[in-house]
Amino acid sequence: MSARHKILLLDDDPDMVEIYREILQRLPGQPDIQTTTTANRALTMLEAQPFTMLVTDLSMPKIDGLQLLATVRRRWPHVRTVAMSSIVDDQLRKRAQAMGVDIFCEKPSTSHEIETFLTYVDALLKKALTTPTSSPLGEPTLAEVLRLEGLGRNSSVIRVVYGEFEGRLWVQDGEVVDAVGPGVAGDDALRMLMSWSGTKCEVLPAEPGHPKRITAPAGPAPAGFDTGLRPEPAVAAPPAALPPPSAPRPPQSGGTTLLTLPGRTLNPLKAAPPAAAPPPPPAAAPVAPPLGVTPLAELARCDGVAFILSLRASGAEPALDSWGVENPEALGQWTRGALERFRRVGDQLQAGRVVHFEVIDGAHRISVEVRPEGCLLVGFKRTLVPEQARETMKLILSKWAS
Amino acid sequence: MGFLDFFSKPAGGTRPVTLPNGSFTIGSTGAIVSSTLPSDFPKPLMLEIAEAVSATFQEAGAAQLALSEFSAVYSGFRITARAMRGGAMVYLSTRNLNLK
């Protein structure tokens, strides 16, 4: 078997493609680098020939990098994926993480960043020879399992295995009602299980009538959990996963891929599988209700609701929360921009404040309710008649306000 | 009878803009092509609305919205914009307060 890897490089900017092709050509194994500037073309190329790795930009027209990564993960789970973006925000990182991306990083620009980037890509290529990719579909994380259970309002028992430790979660109608971990039960157990990374999950038949011990406090969702993602290994992982900034170190086999560059951090993607005897994480780790019981997920249970985005105007920066939105940051930005523009128009016309915004896009009827405390955007399926949508919106608003 | 002038408003005082009912069309370049709004409705205000409408349609692409229509609903006024071949049709209407 030839050890020469094939890398597919995708960026909508042809100049960037050339730059990164030159960078990747410095890899020790002299991989075969093929390039394209469109996601559609990338999919065609992936179908036509076997690639070891896909290196893609995330912000692209038509099909963006995340959509492409989702497709690649589903259809070619063995392909290693590297996602690059010029702007890395937390939301984007979480979404890339959800796709099971192997490396997620800002586009390297300085020579040191490039060197670090190449070190990690090389290590990932070497790993590709020996270990199969853990696809999020093949081995779903606990958060993903809970998300699916929550969406389907299923009832089940989820067995969670973390090295030599084991825990169980009881799910009823999509909500976690009880959890048991090593030596703990209820909320503490849920906290512990959710902080484990690299777990194996098994969905077992439901146990109706199991007592409810999870109080499901309405606190903030833990990072990565509101979108059904795996918990944040970067926060919980021991410092040993961090390479020293001055001496970049390739990820260990099956380890966390965390890129630290001088002055900034390239975010980790893979949760580190447990070591031989992983200690149970401290019970003080942040926790919040799983997706099945988050406030927006609750609101989304109303008939005909396709997605929800909430912009709370608390603090200097509006807090954004979403459920079912493909690109919440962009949608939030557009909503804020539109409301601000029409607020100015209203001021000039002396027409009062904008109280409501209605939008019709291809498949959805979107209703934006503007309140002093923020605004709530709800996307309804177009099949829902307007009267029904209005009634549902009233119901959702009453719940949201409370 | 001049003493009654004390109670009258000055002739050049500011008056609120009468909220109009009508529509206008924005071309693909952002210019206003046609209008059924009252002639006393200030042109700069019409242009302001047109700019807001155009920008809202243009930026929808970045949010992955295939925007075909939207309405901004104020306490007593409504602006509805419908995309039309690169431009837009904008409807302005005062809202019925339904005081019954």
Side-chain angles (χ1 to χ4, degrees), chain A residues 9-14 16-17 20 36-38 57 60 107:
Chain A
L9 174 61
L10 167 64
D11 196 309
D12 59 316
D13 183 345
M16 294 304 286
V17 165
Y20 285 104
T36 177
T37 53
T38 66
D57 182 20
M60 289 182 295
K107 287 181 176 172

Side-chain angles (χ1 to χ4, degrees), chain A residues 96-256:
Chain A
Q97 210 175 0
M99 303 293 175
V101 172
D102 290 289
I103 294 177
F104 174 69
C105 62
E106 286 180 54
K107 287 181 176 172
S109 49
T110 66
S111 59
H112 188 75
E113 288 173 0
I114 290 169
E115 186 190 333
T116 310
F117 173 74
L118 286 175
T119 306
Y120 278 87
V121 169
D122 187 39
L124 193 61
L125 284 172
K126 284 173 183 162
K127 264 173 67 180
L129 282 176
T130 54
T131 55
T133 302
S134 66
S135 155
L137 293 172
E139 278 188 32
T141 63
L142 175 58
E144 287 162 353
V145 171
L146 285 177
R147 180 191 172 94
L148 290 172
E149 296 296 288
L151 288 174
R153 298 181 201 180
N154 298 335
S155 297
S156 60
V157 178
I158 301 165
R159 180 170 165 259
V160 188
V161 178
Y162 179 58
E164 64 187 46
F165 298 99
E166 188 178 318
R168 281 184 186 230
L169 287 163
W170 282 261
V171 180
Q172 280 175 14
D173 297 328
E175 291 186 16
V176 180
V177 295
D178 193 16
V180 168
V184 286
D187 288 328
D188 288 344
L190 176 64
R191 191 177 296 128
M192 176 184 285
L193 299 184
M194 288 309 302
S195 65
W196 288 353
S197 58
T199 53
K200 289 189 190 309
C201 301
E202 184 183 359
V203 180
L204 305 171
E207 293 178 8
H210 188 88
K212 182 172 180 171
R213 282 192 288 189
I214 301 287
T215 53
F225 199 55
D226 53 340
T227 46
L229 312 184
R230 72 196 73 197
E232 298 290 295
V235 178
L242 283 161
S246 57
R249 184 177 68 183
Q252 302 303 307
S253 179
T256 300

Side-chain angles (χ1 to χ4, degrees), chain A residues 334 342 355-356 358-360, chain B residues 67-69 71 73-74 78:
Chain A
W334 176 83
F342 283 95
V355 290
H356 190 75
E358 291 169 4
V359 179
I360 295 177
Chain B
L67 196 56
S68 60
E69 184 179 323
S71 298
V73 183
Y74 298 87
R78 183 185 186 102

Side-chain angles (χ1 to χ4, degrees), chain A residues 344-350, chain B residues 17-18 20 24 32 37 41-51 92:
Chain A
R344 283 200 300 267
V345 167
D347 286 348
Q348 294 204 17
L349 285 168
Q350 297 166 6
Chain B
V17 177
T18 308
F24 64 91
I32 292 170
L37 294 176
F41 186 70
K43 189 75 183 288
L45 269 180
M46 208 191 304
L47 288 170
E48 180 88 13
I49 296 169
E51 274 179 28
L92 310 183

Side-chain angles (χ1 to χ4, degrees), chain B residues 4-74:
Chain B
L4 287 178
D5 293 347
F6 181 77
F7 299 103
S8 63
K9 289 181 183 173
T14 55
R15 282 190 311 158
V17 177
T18 308
L19 293 175
N21 282 299
S23 64
F24 64 91
T25 316
I26 307 168
S28 55
T29 57
I32 292 170
V33 179
S34 63
S35 167
T36 66
L37 294 176
S39 57
D40 63 345
F41 186 70
K43 189 75 183 288
L45 269 180
M46 208 191 304
L47 288 170
E48 180 88 13
I49 296 169
E51 274 179 28
V53 166
S54 299
T56 302
F57 274 120
Q58 278 167 14
E59 290 178 13
Q64 296 171 354
L65 283 174
L67 196 56
S68 60
E69 184 179 323
F70 70 86
S71 298
V73 183
Y74 298 87

